[in-house]
Amino acid sequence: MKNEEIIDFDLSRLSLSDLIEAYEEIEEFLHFLNDQRIEEDDLDE
Amino acid sequence: MNNFLDFIKKDIEAKKTLVSTMPSRTKTNVKKLNQTIDNIEDKYINYKTSLVNYLLAKSRSFTLKDDVSDVNTDKLNEKIINLEHVKFLLNPTNTYFEKMGFDTLLYQINNYTTFNFDSLNDIINGFLDKFQLVGIALTKDDFHYTCYVHEYMTAFLDVRNKKTKNYDKVGEVFEQIYWINPELIEHIELNFRKLIKINEKRFSNYILELQKDAMRDNNVENYNDCIEKLKSLYIDLNLAKKETVNDIIALARKGDIDIEQLREGSKARINAYNTLVPTEVDTSNEKEMVKVCNVLEKLKINIEEYNNYLEFLPLFNEFRDEYINLVPKDDNEVPYKGLKEVVEKINSKENELERINKKIFSGKPGFFEFKSDNDLKHLKAESVLKAKELYKLYKTYDEEYFKAKVMSTLSNTLTIMDVLNLYYSFDYFKKLAIAKAYDTNSFEEISKYSEDFDLFAMNTTNIIVSGLPLFDERNIARIIANKYNLNSIKLTEEALDEDNLTNLLNQILLILRINKIENSKTTIEKIWFMCKVDKIVSNERKNGNLL
């Protein structure tokens, strides 16, 4: 089983509030990732 | 691992550690870091897309079928509008004058300063239209209250009869007269008042015919029959319009109500139950809660009525202070004669004015022709002076007219409902009383109060005010609280303070809505979920991630 594919998860087993929480976790993580990105042009080799 | 939430929580933690500890000193490091971030981001965007699609499908599956009501509310509304008109026509408290709408026009012409010149023309046309309704086409010869009224109305009728709607010339005439006779509009009003008085019989008969037709068309026997039929229709309409679960869902999705407050454990929900539901009631017991909610439905109606009562308390107090000393103490009191006296004075003064006008219009001051322009000027000034005195007398007449109506029902057992009926029947006096009670001259503000007052007076569910004596102060909050304590509802006088009423109403609505949802095919959680998904979808759309 490929754990990281959402298809392998049975979302119907999550409660309604867990589903919303999952969305909020992802959304927050995507923001985090965005903040971690560094502009490559700003650095010397 | 097959719990998606657990998986992403752990995975996010691990990925956060990985990203935070990756070196970023050199350009190569940064390239690698950004590459890693891109890979993780791609994966999580895919997760989010799949999740959002799932959320959307799930939310849609919670949609309830439309409530199909057997009752056609449009038809009910139509019947109510028709019967309200019959009630208006049959109202035994007022006369042809109010039923023809002359009192509303009088109020408007009295407030002409609020309007522009076009509006003034509309008011005058409004008077003329009403005469036309009963088959009286007024001509310039009907307007001789003063020579200036005659001059103005001649110009006015000329335009009206041509149906050109261009009143520019009338405006010029107005301008010319205004500087000699600034009270021109007041005197036009007096002319109309006189014409209405002269044609009283025609208007009364017209209303009588309307009443007959309305009763026949609506199968109504008399005023009381009409009231009973209306009451029954309003009961049907209120039932048909009762809030459904779909209504609650729509309110929540629009954001008009906060669904979080309905969820178990919410502060608002706990407070509402603690305030209103006695501790001995098991709130998880469906039967017990249905019983409580039936009582709360009635309390809600009573509180809405009480709220209306408080809004118009200044008006009731004003009325009480005005008439408390006039309440008959015994049967032997001298009958009230104020109105008769002022009518006699008006008639006598109008005769004097007519005599002066005859001289002006005929061009003969007596047996001889005018000797000079000065004679004519003098007579005109005298006629304006008389008209001015008459305007004051008509003001007194208005006061006495309403006073006479009040006196015919005034007793120490007069109820708030009686006052509601009186003011509802006399629009002109209601507006004057509102202006006084709320200390305002704003036409818009007075009209708004007046509309709200009429809705309150028309409300067939009023029960508190129907037995509430005007001259005997009662603690209504205590009466309501005691009544509902007997019905096993926790209610304090403090909760019924004017400032707390909105909060109390919201608490009642909260419990009623919770109960309604819990006894339906959906749950509060599902509605909460639908609202959350709506917000997510809107957020995704805003960011261009969803069509």
Side-chain angles (χ1 to χ4, degrees):
Chain A
M1 189 166 76
K2 287 181 283 174
N3 275 348
E4 292 184 20
E5 291 296 324
I6 199 167
I7 199 91
D8 291 331
F9 296 102
D10 185 1
L11 291 179
S12 70
R13 293 175 68 170
L14 287 186
S15 71
L16 299 179
S17 54
D18 283 352
L19 282 167
I20 300 296
E21 195 183 339
Y23 172 84
E24 284 165 353
E25 288 280 348
I26 295 174
E27 192 60 2
E28 195 228 294
F29 182 50
L30 286 171
H31 278 115
F32 167 82
L33 288 176
N34 221 14
D35 291 343
Q36 296 302 308
R37 211 174 256 122
I38 298 171
E39 286 288 327
E40 289 170 31
D41 300 339
D42 295 349
L43 287 164
D44 297 328
E45 189 57 53
Chain B
M1 191 190 290
N2 52 15
N3 182 316
F4 181 63
L5 181 61
D6 287 345
F7 163 71
I8 57 161
K9 272 185 174 175
K10 279 185 187 154
D11 189 55
I12 285 171
E13 209 50 51
K15 300 273 189 314
K16 273 185 177 174
T17 312
L18 171 73
V19 169
S20 317
T21 52
M22 278 181 83
S24 59
R25 268 195 243 153
T26 64
K27 218 168 186 173
T28 320
N29 289 156
V30 169
K31 250 187 191 165
K32 212 171 170 194
L33 170 74
N34 285 347
Q35 188 60 52
T36 310
I37 289 173
D38 286 347
N39 291 341
I40 302 171
E41 193 184 55
D42 283 350
K43 194 167 286 175
Y44 269 82
I45 285 175
N46 280 338
Y47 283 167
K48 195 171 82 167
T49 308
S50 304
L51 182 62
V52 168
N53 285 336
Y54 182 79
L55 293 176
L56 208 54
K58 187 109 184 154
S59 174
R60 279 181 186 146
S61 75
F62 293 155
T63 309
L64 294 179
K65 275 187 190 162
D66 276 341
D67 316 287
V68 185
S69 168
D70 296 338
V71 189
N72 184 340
T73 48
D74 288 346
K75 262 202 166 157
L76 266 177
N77 269 323
E78 196 187 314
K79 276 187 191 170
I80 285 174
I81 290 169
N82 287 340
L83 276 185
E84 281 292 354
H85 181 63
V86 183
K87 181 184 153 195
F88 173 81
L89 286 172
L90 297 181
N91 184 352
T93 313
N94 58 23
T95 68
Y96 76 92
F97 192 85
E98 291 77 22
K99 295 186 211 299
M100 287 295 303
F102 282 130
D103 59 339
T104 306
L105 282 174
L106 269 190
Y107 181 74
Q108 288 174 359
I109 204 164
N110 267 293
N111 286 277
Y112 68 88
T113 45
T114 319
F115 307 114
N116 55 23
F117 188 68
D118 288 343
S119 306
L120 174 67
N121 291 338
D122 288 344
I123 300 169
I124 294 176
N125 272 320
F127 275 110
L128 295 168
D129 289 344
K130 293 203 186 292
F131 278 85
Q132 214 150 37
L133 262 182
V134 300
I136 302 169
L138 295 174
T139 67
K140 60 180 182 174
D141 297 332
D142 293 303
F143 295 95
H144 43 63
Y145 210 82
T146 66
C147 57
Y148 301 114
V149 170
H150 182 75
E151 191 182 341
Y152 182 79
M153 286 308 291
T154 302
F156 189 94
L157 286 166
D158 197 32
V159 174
R160 178 180 158 97
N161 294 338
K162 279 183 192 153
K163 295 184 175 123
T164 57
K165 286 188 181 172
N166 183 353
Y167 285 88
D168 291 352
K169 270 206 168 151
V170 184
E172 284 167 27
V173 175
F174 180 83
E175 187 91 11
Q176 283 165 19
I177 300 172
Y178 187 82
W179 301 112
I180 314 163
N181 177 202
E183 298 91 4
L184 172 69
I185 298 168
E186 290 168 5
H187 300 165
I188 292 172
E189 174 194 328
L190 297 189
N191 204 140
F192 275 118
R193 279 184 186 257
K194 196 176 173 188
L195 286 167
I196 294 165
K197 201 164 54 182
I198 293 168
N199 293 289
E200 181 179 343
K201 196 125 197 102
R202 291 280 286 271
F203 290 118
S204 295
N205 288 340
Y206 176 76
I207 294 293
L208 263 174
E209 286 307 312
L210 283 186
Q211 286 173 333
K212 275 188 215 160
D213 292 348
M215 283 198 288
R216 190 194 54 233
D217 295 346
N218 294 282
N219 200 20
V220 167
E221 282 178 27
N222 50 41
Y223 182 70
N224 288 338
D225 181 35
C226 181
I227 298 287
E228 287 310 312
K229 285 195 164 94
L230 261 174
K231 267 187 190 167
S232 142
L233 281 174
Y234 274 116
I235 290 170
D236 293 346
L237 184 72
N238 287 340
L239 268 175
K241 277 173 41 185
K242 225 173 168 187
E243 194 176 72
T244 65
V245 175
N246 265 336
D247 293 333
I248 301 172
I249 293 175
L251 286 173
R253 295 181 88 165
K254 266 201 288 176
D256 289 348
I257 58 169
D258 181 5
I259 193 71
E260 294 278 357
Q261 294 190 339
L262 275 73
R263 294 178 85 196
E264 210 145 350
S266 89
K267 238 186 183 175
R269 180 172 164 147
I270 294 167
N271 276 343
Y273 279 92
N274 284 346
T275 309
L276 290 156
V277 185
T279 37
E280 59 269 23
V281 173
D282 176 7
T283 52
S284 60
N285 183 311
E286 199 183 303
K287 265 191 182 170
E288 278 191 56
M289 278 314 288
V290 166
K291 238 169 121 181
V292 167
C293 286
N294 284 339
V295 183
L296 285 180
E297 288 273 9
K298 286 179 190 158
L299 174 60
K300 183 177 145 265
I301 293 170
N302 286 162
I303 291 176
E304 282 163 351
E305 181 187 348
Y306 181 51
N307 205 9
N308 279 331
Y309 165 76
L310 289 177
E311 187 189 348
F312 291 104
L313 194 56
L315 194 64
F316 300 134
N317 286 342
E318 184 74 36
F319 186 95
R320 190 195 54 210
D321 295 346
E322 182 94 28
Y323 293 103
I324 193 160
N325 293 326
L326 296 173
V327 177
K329 309 249 171 354
D330 55 58
D331 295 340
N332 301 324
E333 278 201 27
V334 187
Y336 168 73
K337 283 182 186 164
L339 182 65
K340 211 180 151 205
E341 283 168 11
V342 76
V343 167
E344 280 165 8
K345 277 186 194 166
I346 286 175
N347 287 341
S348 143
K349 207 150 270 282
E350 277 186 342
N351 285 339
E352 288 171 29
L353 178 62
E354 212 169 311
R355 277 197 291 275
I356 299 171
N357 282 334
K358 262 187 192 159
K359 290 177 191 170
I360 296 171
F361 289 114
S362 67
K364 290 177 185 171
F367 293 110
F368 311 102
E369 300 282 322
F370 283 117
K371 279 183 190 142
S372 67
D373 277 356
N374 263 352
D375 292 342
L376 185 63
K377 248 187 197 171
H378 176 73
L379 274 176
K380 282 184 179 179
E382 204 183 328
S383 76
V384 168
L385 219 66
K386 280 266 181 285
K388 236 174 153 177
E389 286 167 20
L390 273 157
Y391 191 74
K392 273 189 198 157
L393 274 176
Y394 268 103
K395 289 281 155 203
T396 315
Y397 168 85
D398 286 342
E399 283 166 25
E400 296 299 331
Y401 174 77
F402 188 60
K403 201 166 161 188
K405 294 288 169 190
V406 174
M407 296 299 279
S408 66
T409 53
L410 197 64
S411 74
N412 55 8
T413 57
L414 196 79
T415 63
I416 295 292
M417 183 66 112
D418 295 328
V419 182
L420 280 172
N421 280 338
L422 264 168
Y423 278 137
Y424 177 68
S425 306
F426 297 97
D427 186 66
Y428 177 77
F429 300 101
K430 173 186 61 197
K431 285 173 176 155
L432 293 184
I434 286 172
K436 204 171 167 193
Y438 297 94
D439 193 21
T440 175
N441 286 320
S442 154
F443 187 80
E444 281 79 23
E445 204 181 339
I446 293 168
S447 300
K448 177 79 183 70
Y449 270 120
S450 173
E451 275 169 33
D452 288 350
F453 183 91
D454 286 350
L455 286 176
F456 179 29
M458 282 161 70
N459 195 337
T460 50
T461 60
N462 287 341
I463 189 158
I464 300 170
V465 291
S466 51
L468 194 64
L470 177 77
F471 298 114
D472 178 18
E473 259 182 58
R474 288 195 183 163
N475 185 338
I476 308 167
R478 187 177 300 159
I479 294 171
I480 298 174
N482 286 349
K483 199 257 173 206
Y484 283 93
N485 288 337
L486 286 172
N487 286 117
S488 302
I489 293 292
K490 261 165 74 180
L491 189 63
T492 59
E493 270 182 65
E494 198 195 350
L496 290 158
D497 273 356
E498 197 168 0
D499 296 341
N500 299 335
L501 276 188
T502 312
N503 187 36
L504 182 63
L505 264 178
N506 286 338
Q507 288 184 320
I508 294 170
L509 272 173
L510 192 82
I511 298 176
L512 291 176
R513 283 173 175 151
I514 291 170
N515 191 258
K516 184 151 276 162
I517 297 168
E518 285 177 350
N519 289 303
S520 74
K521 286 177 184 158
T522 190
T523 63
I524 293 167
E525 278 311 285
K526 284 182 184 172
I527 302 174
W528 170 82
F529 179 78
M530 289 160 96
C531 295
K532 279 281 183 189
V533 174
D534 284 350
K535 274 189 191 152
I536 289 170
V537 168
S538 135
N539 186 41
E540 291 299 314
R541 282 203 179 119
K542 202 173 79 191
N543 295 329
N545 302 330
L546 212 64
L547 284 177

